[in-house]
Amino acid sequence: MEAFTTHTGRAVPLRRSNVDTDQIIPAVWLKQVSRTGFEKGLFSAWREDPAFVLNDPVHEGASILVSGPDFGTGSSREHAVWALQQYGFRVVIAARFGDIFRNNSTKMGLLPVVLPAGVVEALQSAVEADPTLEITVDLGERQVRWAGEIAGFEIDDYTRWRLMEGLDDIGLTLRNADAVAVYENGRQPWLPTTV
Amino acid sequence: MGRTLAEKVWEQHVVRRADGEPDLLYIDLHLIHEVTSPQAFDGLRMAGRPVRRPELTIATEDHNVPTLLGPIKDPVSRTQVETLRKNCAEFGVRLHPMGDAGQGVVHIIGPQFGLTQPGMTIVCGDSHTSTHGAFGGIAFGIGTSEVEHVLATQTLPAYRPRTMAIEVSGELPAGVTAKDLILAIIAKIGTGGGQGYIVEYRGEAIRELSMEGRMTVCNMSIEAGARAGMIAPDETTFDYLKGRPHAPAGADWDAAVEYWKSLTTDEDAVFDTVVEIDATTLTPFVTWGTNPGQGAPLGSAVPAPQDTDDPAAAERALEYMGLTAGTPLRDVAVDTVFVGSCTNGRLEDLRAVAEVLRGRQVVTRTLIVPGSMLVKLQAEQEGLHEVFKAAGAEWREAGCSMCLGMNPDTLAPGERSASTSNRNFEGRQGKGGRTHLVSPQVAAATAVTGKLTAPADLV
Ligand code: SF4
């Protein structure tokens, strides 16, 4: 996983609520067995509309997505995270996220930032007024900063540490392989196996 | 202080707990399908890691499979299914491929084999894993990174969600189903209402539900934002499990049942949130919008955006759905009816549909898709397929089918469906398709009239 410490970039304001993962990447794109090439599928249905915000050239190269509430609801497809990252996003800011999407993001190093709905809207308006606005997302300080404004956000210490170090979760768990073996010896004898 | 059911099951599975870290949770059963696993197996291969417990893992092919006999025509879909086969062979995982008697939608086959049992932790790279919570375990959907994590370690690091009780008092009126109940719950608490919670469904109406109905309710927990939904096990649960291929037998059965009976929320336990629903006031419920929270009683009309919680979203949804505020929902004409999916693709659902279709004719394209090959076999033994065919409906092979646009069963742009599946998202059933979520009973009656209809409306 790519480490995330602090990131400065421009943003895209996505004024929609309930952006489900079927919109982020429609099912037809999920058939690939590789981990690359998903940027083409990002919002592919919505991108057919020339007026869709991602098609606006002023937002070209933006790396922060500022969305309405309940971003990433629905399907567990991690392809949604891959598509956002491969398109160039490092951060998604919203008032609320789907739980599985948020989990998937932190496994991959895409930072989901929860800010109050009013702050998200203010940020969207600021970007609409000036698309060149530079926004800094500072994970160490747990802050989003732009044009003299500062908004703090919460993230648990463990996830923050893992993101900042870019640590592989499986490697961390394998350090506790002994505890897993001990647990396994005490499992109830009637629990099913698939053999 | 007493503990909730969720807390009991969680505590039973904590492998390791440390200050400032998520709990390391043991996973009793890992379900796999072709869509969310290829990159996970690749990860194992690159790191030179084996699957830690292949005998706690089971795989099926469901999302991509065509429901008409014959090979997969789409080369990309075919590669994905073949990749699953190769991975399962290489890593020693049991697989039920297309055409196998055990094949079916991943959330239908677990319970059917008796692999889904009370008190277990179950995960799958699929958000509707919440279905399995109907047996009183903790079951939730995960992404591909977590699939790889479970394959490699049989554990997951996770923070325990908060607990929510949804208390459903009274009995469901005749003609009102588990599907209507869960659609009404989602409309009430919203698509984000369950975020961060494990939901326990409780109360008289829940106790009265069959296991199939309980699975329908738990299945759609994720549509209210909750990763997991659960129902305390009882005699209904034990009766369902007894004698299934992977259920305990003999002395193990007795020991298991004794333990399962302890899996209830203690009287003095406290939930973080409680939601109350009066079952007696419910009527058949359908969705009008593009998320499962945008629903209303069938007897009502398409709402005006300003009368909803999120007017901007409602306005967009009505535009996408091609609906006008104020139109009675019973006047909405559909082109296609889909019966199936992990929400309503079980035998009980098919029986309910047959009851409505017996001696009647459908006027829409009607796809009836069993959730598994076993459901198909059982339905055919009862002669349900004859009823469907006589009514003019199509009887298909098992798979996810029109629940999502990944296989040949899709809606055309602008085409409108009444569907027993779980998601009415834009394009979910095919690009530009318009979906109304309904119960199997409403689906069947709608197929007969061509407009959203409940069986009680039929003469
Ligand atoms: S039936 Fe639908 S919701 Fe269920 S697993 Fe298949 S695609 Fe997912």
Side-chain angles (χ1 to χ4, degrees):
Chain A
M1 177 172 86
E2 203 182 334
F4 190 109
T5 48
T6 179
H7 173 77
T8 299
R10 286 175 295 111
V12 179
L14 180 60
R15 286 201 182 260
R16 292 188 190 185
S17 59
N18 273 296
V19 178
D20 59 76
T21 54
D22 273 82
Q23 306 319 313
I24 300 172
I25 187 152
V28 288
W29 295 91
L30 310 188
K31 299 180 185 184
Q32 298 167 62
V33 294
S34 68
R35 250 183 211 269
T36 51
F38 290 102
E39 68 279 5
K40 290 193 283 296
L42 182 71
F43 296 118
S44 64
W46 291 354
R47 269 158 78 188
E48 285 180 11
D49 173 4
F52 181 56
V53 65
L54 223 55
N55 290 330
D56 189 336
V58 301
H59 295 305
E60 218 173 279
S63 54
I64 300 169
L65 186 65
V66 189
S67 171
D70 295 316
F71 186 88
T73 54
S75 160
S76 67
R77 57 189 74 168
E78 196 163 304
H79 313 67
V81 174
W82 305 337
L84 285 160
Q85 283 184 314
Q86 289 162 17
Y87 188 87
F89 288 109
R90 301 283 331 267
V91 181
V92 183
I93 299 175
R96 268 195 327 209
F97 287 93
D99 284 337
I100 304 178
F101 175 84
R102 194 171 52 182
N103 236 21
N104 290 343
S105 300
T106 66
K107 304 288 174 191
M108 290 301 300
L110 174 74
L111 184 67
V113 173
V114 177
L115 290 179
V119 179
V120 174
E121 276 202 54
L123 188 51
Q124 287 175 329
S125 300
V127 175
E128 281 159 0
D130 175 13
T132 66
L133 181 71
E134 296 258 304
I135 298 165
T136 295
V137 180
D138 185 336
L139 182 55
E141 296 294 326
R142 295 179 166 98
Q143 281 180 352
V144 181
R145 298 187 292 267
W146 72 97
E149 304 280 338
I150 298 180
F153 63 89
E154 285 180 26
I155 185 167
D156 68 273
D157 290 341
Y158 182 82
T159 305
R160 171 170 162 270
W161 166 74
R162 220 172 35 71
L163 282 163
M164 292 185 70
E165 302 288 327
L167 288 173
D168 163 18
D169 240 356
I170 299 178
L172 289 175
T173 298
L174 288 175
R175 292 183 197 168
N176 296 308
D178 291 352
V180 180
V182 169
Y183 179 91
E184 279 177 330
N185 287 330
R187 291 177 77 230
Q188 290 140 329
W190 66 77
L191 283 164
T193 69
T194 58
V195 288
Chain B
M1 195 175 73
R3 294 184 302 164
T4 64
L5 169 58
E7 286 161 346
K8 288 181 184 180
V9 178
W10 187 278
E11 290 303 319
Q12 178 73 25
H13 290 86
V14 176
V15 169
R16 179 175 181 275
R17 178 168 282 161
D19 262 357
E21 292 184 25
D23 287 343
L24 190 62
L25 214 59
Y26 198 79
I27 302 302
D28 290 322
L29 179 66
H30 186 190
L31 303 153
I32 285 179
H33 61 86
E34 75 274 15
V35 183
T36 53
S37 65
Q39 296 86 352
F41 280 112
D42 267 351
L44 289 185
R45 220 175 270 120
M46 278 183 332
R49 290 169 178 148
V51 173
R52 183 184 174 91
R53 298 295 302 272
E55 78 279 21
L56 301 184
T57 314
I58 188 168
T60 184
E61 299 168 358
D62 54 5
H63 287 62
N64 279 278
V65 308
T67 58
L68 290 170
L69 283 174
I72 302 180
K73 294 206 186 79
D74 176 351
V76 196
S77 283
R78 197 168 59 226
T79 301
Q80 191 161 64
V81 167
E82 281 165 2
T83 303
L84 179 70
R85 291 177 190 175
K86 269 191 260 160
N87 286 332
C88 286
E90 179 182 339
F91 288 90
V93 172
R94 169 174 156 191
L95 167 71
H96 291 283
M98 273 167 63
D100 182 88
Q103 181 264 344
V105 178
V106 66
H107 309 307
I108 306 256
I109 67 164
Q112 176 180 291
F113 283 130
L115 284 167
T116 300
Q117 296 174 17
M120 289 173 65
T121 45
I122 300 177
V123 297
C124 172
D126 190 282
S127 58
H128 293 101
T129 309
S130 57
T131 312
H132 305 264
F135 290 78
I138 293 179
F140 54 91
I142 56 179
T144 298
S145 292
E146 290 178 312
V147 170
E148 184 180 339
H149 195 285
V150 176
L151 288 171
T153 70
Q154 203 57 37
T155 65
L156 266 185
Y159 289 103
R160 184 171 66 72
R162 286 169 291 164
T163 57
M164 175 186 289
I166 297 189
E167 299 271 359
V168 190
S169 61
E171 280 180 47
L172 288 172
V176 182
T177 68
K179 182 66 164 286
D180 302 309
L181 170 61
I182 188 64
L183 286 173
I185 289 172
I186 299 163
K188 179 175 168 118
I189 72 174
T191 53
Q195 268 167 29
Y197 290 99
I198 293 182
V199 172
E200 182 184 341
Y201 301 95
R202 298 153 58 81
E204 187 183 351
I206 300 294
R207 295 261 71 86
E208 292 297 319
L209 291 176
S210 64
M211 281 319 295
E212 283 85 347
R214 293 179 188 186
M215 285 189 257
T216 300
V217 169
C218 288
N219 174 274
M220 292 191 71
S221 303
I222 183 70
E223 309 313 333
R227 274 179 99 176
M230 61 200 310
I231 293 172
D234 59 12
E235 292 302 324
T236 303
T237 322
F238 310 149
D239 287 349
Y240 177 96
L241 277 170
K242 188 145 197 176
R244 292 198 178 254
H246 289 276
D252 274 350
W253 172 263
D254 298 334
V257 170
E258 192 177 321
Y259 171 64
W260 293 344
K261 285 183 173 165
S262 74
L263 296 175
T264 55
T265 291
D266 296 330
E267 293 268 322
D268 55 343
V270 180
F271 289 93
D272 295 307
T273 302
V274 178
V275 173
E276 289 178 357
I277 307 265
D278 178 359
T280 64
T281 62
L282 295 178
T283 56
F285 213 86
V286 301
T287 62
W288 50 263
T290 54
N291 71 57
Q294 291 174 325
L298 174 63
S300 67
V302 176
Q306 66 269 21
D307 297 338
T308 67
D309 296 343
D310 188 344
E315 199 161 321
R316 262 193 64 82
L318 292 190
E319 191 190 323
Y320 180 88
M321 293 295 290
L323 293 172
T324 313
T327 308
L329 286 164
R330 280 195 174 93
D331 289 351
V332 175
V334 311
D335 309 296
T336 290
V337 168
F338 169 61
V339 174
S341 87
C342 57
T343 312
N344 283 124
R346 285 171 286 266
L347 188 60
E348 181 180 284
D349 303 309
L350 300 183
R351 284 182 184 147
V353 170
E355 200 176 308
V356 178
L357 291 187
R358 199 178 298 275
R360 294 195 169 101
Q361 285 297 310
V362 303
V363 299
T364 65
R365 169 164 80 129
T366 304
L367 257 63
I368 304 183
V369 185
S372 70
M373 292 294 274
L374 183 68
V375 170
K376 177 167 189 267
L377 182 75
Q378 290 170 328
E380 292 183 352
Q381 279 166 354
E382 293 184 13
L384 303 183
H385 64 311
E386 300 296 351
V387 178
F388 302 147
K389 287 187 205 163
E394 294 179 55
W395 174 237
R396 296 290 190 92
E397 304 296 312
C400 293
S401 186
M402 205 181 269
C403 180
L404 95 170
M406 247 188 123
N407 57 69
D409 303 339
T410 51
L411 295 180
E415 193 177 351
R416 185 183 300 282
S417 78
S419 174
T420 66
S421 56
N422 44 48
R423 288 193 171 134
N424 52 345
F425 297 155
E426 288 179 27
R428 171 79 180 181
Q429 297 188 291
K431 205 166 137 203
R434 296 162 167 168
T435 305
H436 295 272
L437 300 178
V438 300
S439 71
Q441 286 82 342
V442 168
T446 299
V448 170
T449 65
K451 291 180 178 175
L452 294 176
T453 305
D457 305 334
L458 298 174
V459 279

